[in-house]
Amino acid sequence: MLLHKITCWLSLGSLTLASIIPRVADLLPPSRVIVERQATTSTQVPDSQCTNGPRTRNCWSQGFSIATDFDAKAPPAGKTVTYNLDITNTTINADGTGDRIAMLINGKYPGPVIRAAWGDTLVINVKNSLQHNGTGIHWHGLRQLNSCQHDGVPGITECPIAPSKTRQYVFKCTQFGTTWYHSHWSSQYAEGVVGTIIIDGPATANYDEDLGTLPITDWYYKPGFEINEQAQHSRTGPPLPDNILVNGTHKNKDGAGSYFKMTVTKGKKYRIRLINTSVDSVFSVSMDGHPFTVITSDFVPIKSYVTDQVTMNIGQRYDVIINANQTASNYWLRVSIGTACGGNNIIASNIPLGAILHYDGVPDGQPTSTGVAMRTSCTDETNLVPFVPNSVPTSIISEAGKMDLNHFQDANNNFLFRWLIDGTPQIVNWNRPSLQIALEGSTAFGNNSNVYEMATNGWYLWWIQTTTFIAIPHPIHLHGHDFYILGKGAGTWDGTANGLNFQNPTRRDTATLPAGGYLLMAFPADNPGMWVMHCHIAWHAAQGLSVQFLERKNEIQGTIGNTGEFNKGCGEWNEYWQPGNHPYEQTDSGI
Ligand SMILES: *[C@@H]1O[C@H](CO)[C@@H](O)[C@H](O)[C@H]1NC(C)=O
Ligand SMILES: *[C@@H]1O[C@H](CO)[C@@H](O)[C@H](O)[C@H]1NC(C)=O
Ligand SMILES: *[C@@H]1O[C@H](CO)[C@@H](O)[C@H](O)[C@H]1NC(C)=O
Ligand SMILES: *[C@@H]1O[C@H](CO)[C@@H](O)[C@H](O)[C@H]1NC(C)=O
Ligand SMILES: *[C@@H]1O[C@H](CO)[C@@H](O)[C@H](O)[C@H]1NC(C)=O
Ligand SMILES: *[C@@H]1O[C@H](CO)[C@@H](O)[C@H](O)[C@H]1NC(C)=O
Ligand SMILES: [Cu+2]
């Protein structure tokens, strides 16, 4: 594939505080050919000299701002920020219903909030204190530029962490915003191995205070591994979740448990970082009397827009700002379930779903506020215009790499259900991750590896096409990159540019493949490594709905450098995972 031209320019869009808008000094000529989008500061002029504050959220520091093309550069080495995560086999009572078995990080659900700043290096030591499971933690949406071996996907970028062993993940925060981390080992994140990440940086609208992350999830009373087994042998789809949790808590159908509460002071503006950490649910979220100013989708700052509600698929994030300018009282943060593509047992109980926004100084209590009619659809937001515009070369349309999504249910094997990409479900080999095969210079990946090669730099277009009659939406998540959504729709793509968007299209790391339809995603091969792309419905990933990209294989060793931690992990795992040495077997894709 040829080097394609990226026309790239910077713009400050429509910020309201015109007086403090920094001058953009590093406007790139539109015809400049960018060969690599690697983070470098050596050839770039600073964006501006202003510093971040409540009225200047578009600024950052040291010459970086919201106008910085964060693909091209990130602040130089900042702080090193260290966290220790310990995963244990325990129980949890999240909504007053009683204890269920859970696997928790540092004894909490969600796990600790990991917080660093743009340009910092995160060092995270993960200890597997589970007796009978491996693990591996993925940092969702982090680009892992030249650090593929820290992406945390057992069987692809590492061997799982064996019981009682520790692995150290090290990576640079080249992006900023909100995300989450979770186990990528089989369906283990459904057991509770989930937490959130904040990377502080500039923003496209102002706010006074940051309320932090607000993960919303579906919640099951049975262990995730049990539901996963049910799901992969079911002829009617996975069982429904029993409840939802907002920041780890909620009332149950009998009114036990408690709602999560956020406290605000009248007259201030607050940033809330919404994250859908579900296993199998789409949510819409709104706040009574307090419209959202949306400023990001995933890790991509967008031109801010105001809306009453946002609809979020699994893995997606929206950072929103609310203005606490209403009568001091208690208000609902409302959550509705995307019943168009799923359900939840809690709906029948009629208890309000959500959390409480509480104004300082008024008595606590269940809100009596009223709000907008909530959506029950499962489609993505459409207003998402990246703040720093990029365009995709139209020439790639003739080189679309097609992937057919089908399914197979094996009547001879207790109706084992598998999603197929071009005829095969992906199933990883924990003892021999594909990164290891690539590092050996081999391409002898197993029959169920679903490897697609991106051999040279330049842009690639991937076309995921539903061919099965099971018409449900799938939240497709890519590692190592975010991608540009050229188009999506129902039915089959006609192969033409009609209706596609090449000029500053929505860009993110998780997008919904429409029910029965297609998704066209483009991204440049600028990050050598092995990168998985999978459906983020945990059960579907377990049933094989994934592929992996072998990106510029000859450059992987040279860019990732030291593989000591990788080799140590495989040594420890291979010693542990031997026949007869463990009570459970791999029964699914392994990711
Ligand atoms: C968790 O503990 C239960 C018993 O309480 C045990 O049956 C199960 O094997 C343990 N799971 C892991 C992954 O260690
Ligand atoms: C959710 O809980 C975490 C951990 O206690 C906290 O840091 C965060 O601020 C909470 N989120 C919101 C929006 O209040
Ligand atoms: C999260 O995503 C799932 C699956 O796409 C969806 O069913 C659920 O409604 C979403 N939740 C929220 C709060 O957006
Ligand atoms: C409250 O804030 C919102 C969002 O900034 C704004 O649209 C609305 O006009 C404000 N309402 C009042 C009463 O000030
Ligand atoms: C892959 O499939 C071929 C053809 O079915 C078979 O001969 C071969 O043994 C398989 N390889 C592995 C590693 O399973
Ligand atoms: C992990 O442990 C759970 C029990 O806690 C078990 O059900 C499951 O099969 C184990 N998974 C694997 C792949 O060992
Ligand atoms: Cu799916």
Side-chain angles (χ1 to χ4, degrees):
M1 193 175 253
L2 294 174
L3 280 187
H4 290 289
K5 218 186 275 182
I6 313 171
T7 53
C8 174
W9 65 95
L10 303 176
S11 138
L12 271 160
S14 53
L15 278 180
T16 43
L17 288 152
S19 57
I20 50 80
I21 290 175
R23 251 189 66 77
V24 180
D26 61 349
L27 208 71
L28 295 171
S31 60
R32 175 171 165 182
V33 178
I34 299 177
V35 177
E36 291 278 37
R37 296 190 309 170
Q38 292 188 356
T40 165
T41 52
S42 57
T43 60
Q44 307 272 351
V45 184
D47 283 329
S48 73
Q49 295 303 334
C50 65
T51 354
N52 190 267
R55 299 286 165 268
T56 53
R57 293 290 179 194
N58 54 343
C59 301
W60 190 233
S61 66
Q62 299 174 292
F64 293 86
S65 79
I66 194 69
T68 305
D69 183 347
F70 58 88
D71 275 339
K73 58 177 180 168
K79 303 183 297 301
T80 296
V81 182
T82 304
Y83 283 88
N84 298 312
L85 307 181
D86 188 12
I87 304 172
T88 57
N89 184 12
T90 176
T91 59
I92 189 177
N93 180 1
D95 68 353
T97 301
D99 284 345
R100 67 155 261 199
I101 285 189
M103 300 182 192
L104 303 184
I105 304 171
N106 297 0
K108 286 193 293 207
Y109 182 86
V113 180
I114 290 179
R115 190 159 200 159
W118 191 20
D120 287 354
T121 296
L122 273 167
V123 175
I124 305 171
N125 302 304
V126 177
K127 172 153 197 228
N128 181 5
S129 294
L130 303 168
Q131 207 184 342
H132 299 307
N133 266 190
T135 192
I137 303 289
H138 169 61
W139 324 95
H140 182 112
L142 265 303
R143 192 176 163 207
Q144 298 291 359
L145 183 65
N146 301 333
S147 53
C148 171
Q149 79 276 31
H150 295 295
D151 197 39
V153 191
I156 296 191
T157 61
E158 67 179 35
C159 292
I161 308 170
S164 84
K165 303 298 183 200
T166 300
R167 191 195 203 284
Q168 184 168 71
Y169 296 91
V170 183
F171 50 91
K172 189 170 176 193
C173 304
T174 60
Q175 302 132 291
F176 52 88
T178 305
T179 193
W180 58 311
Y181 59 95
H182 59 82
S183 167
H184 223 303
W185 194 73
S186 195
S187 52
Q188 195 177 60
Y189 91 81
E191 305 288 13
V193 187
V194 172
T196 62
I197 302 180
I198 296 175
I199 302 175
D200 288 308
T204 59
N206 290 325
Y207 55 90
D208 295 293
E209 282 175 28
D210 190 344
L211 287 176
T213 50
L214 197 70
I216 305 173
T217 189
D218 41 18
W219 190 244
Y220 297 77
Y221 295 148
K222 284 188 185 164
F225 281 107
E226 194 177 321
I227 309 258
N228 187 43
E229 291 310 317
Q230 251 177 287
Q232 65 174 351
H233 292 284
S234 164
R235 300 169 74 180
T236 51
L240 291 184
D242 299 299
N243 203 348
I244 67 166
L245 302 178
V246 179
N247 217 2
T249 176
H250 204 263
K251 286 207 171 192
N252 77 2
K253 65 176 176 18
D254 305 318
S258 52
Y259 289 114
F260 182 72
K261 187 179 88 173
M262 289 166 278
T263 301
V264 295
T265 301
K266 188 172 163 123
K268 287 191 172 180
K269 286 184 173 171
Y270 293 88
R271 175 177 187 159
I272 304 174
R273 300 161 180 270
L274 303 169
I275 316 174
N276 184 348
T277 61
S278 283
V279 171
D280 186 14
S281 307
V282 176
F283 303 113
S284 291
V285 185
S286 74
M287 195 178 286
D288 291 357
H290 299 80
F292 292 148
T293 299
V294 186
I295 59 171
T296 67
S297 57
D298 300 345
F299 262 143
V300 179
I302 57 170
K303 293 188 176 158
S304 65
Y305 69 97
V306 179
T307 183
D308 285 332
Q309 62 185 306
V310 290
T311 299
M312 316 174 65
N313 223 305
I314 302 172
Q316 294 184 330
R317 291 91 69 200
Y318 293 101
D319 284 21
V320 302
I321 293 167
I322 57 151
N323 190 351
N325 65 357
Q326 299 298 301
T327 307
S329 183
N330 294 300
Y331 294 86
W332 284 118
L333 172 110
R334 287 177 197 271
V335 176
S336 67
I337 313 271
T339 48
C341 62
N344 189 305
N345 293 327
I346 193 73
I347 297 173
S349 72
N350 284 323
I351 79 146
L353 302 187
I356 297 171
L357 180 77
H358 169 78
Y359 275 67
D360 218 8
V362 302
D364 276 322
Q366 186 147 317
T368 53
S369 60
T370 52
V372 297
M374 298 293 293
R375 287 179 210 143
T376 52
S377 57
C378 298
T379 49
D380 284 343
E381 293 293 306
T382 52
N383 264 323
L384 312 173
V385 182
F387 190 79
V388 175
N390 279 289
S391 56
V392 178
T394 52
S395 56
I396 62 173
I397 195 168
S398 59
E399 299 169 44
K402 190 174 182 221
M403 298 173 184
D404 281 343
L405 169 62
N406 214 318
H407 81 277
F408 176 69
Q409 190 148 28
D410 189 354
N412 298 319
N413 186 5
N414 191 18
F415 295 97
L416 183 70
F417 186 98
R418 289 290 176 246
W419 293 100
L420 314 177
I421 302 284
D422 287 342
T424 22
Q426 182 176 105
I427 297 171
V428 302
N429 180 349
W430 287 328
N431 292 94
R432 198 163 147 71
S434 36
L435 179 60
Q436 185 180 344
I437 298 170
L439 288 173
E440 287 167 3
S442 164
T443 47
F445 301 102
N447 286 342
N448 283 93
S449 301
N450 285 0
V451 172
Y452 292 77
E453 187 164 2
M454 298 170 68
T456 58
N457 55 3
W459 284 85
Y460 286 77
L461 169 59
W462 298 102
W463 165 18
I464 309 176
Q465 180 63 55
T466 310
T467 53
T468 161
F469 61 81
I470 303 179
I472 53 174
H474 299 277
I476 302 294
H477 171 52
L478 173 66
H479 292 207
H481 294 269
D482 42 36
F483 53 85
Y484 296 76
I485 304 169
L486 299 190
K488 50 161 90 186
T492 302
W493 179 42
D494 63 8
T496 73
N498 291 340
L500 304 190
N501 184 9
F502 293 87
Q503 294 300 319
N504 199 19
T506 296
R507 177 182 159 191
R508 61 189 317 168
D509 56 56
T510 310
T512 305
L513 169 66
Y518 64 90
L519 175 66
L520 294 169
M521 48 197 288
F523 57 96
D526 57 6
N527 194 6
M530 288 294 329
W531 305 111
V532 66
M533 179 171 83
H534 61 95
C535 173
H536 222 302
I537 294 178
W539 322 132
H540 294 182
Q543 292 156 8
L545 209 174
S546 63
V547 301
Q548 49 187 325
F549 293 109
L550 170 60
E551 188 167 332
R552 291 164 57 181
K553 62 169 180 266
N554 300 331
E555 293 164 72
I556 298 175
Q557 177 74 75
T559 49
I560 71 176
N562 187 345
T563 48
E565 195 67 11
F566 178 91
N567 297 334
K568 170 179 151 293
C570 281
E572 290 169 350
W573 176 260
N574 289 332
E575 202 173 302
Y576 163 68
W577 192 259
Q578 292 184 13
N581 202 28
H582 47 85
Y584 308 107
E585 296 298 331
Q586 178 177 357
T587 62
D588 63 15
S589 71
I591 62 164

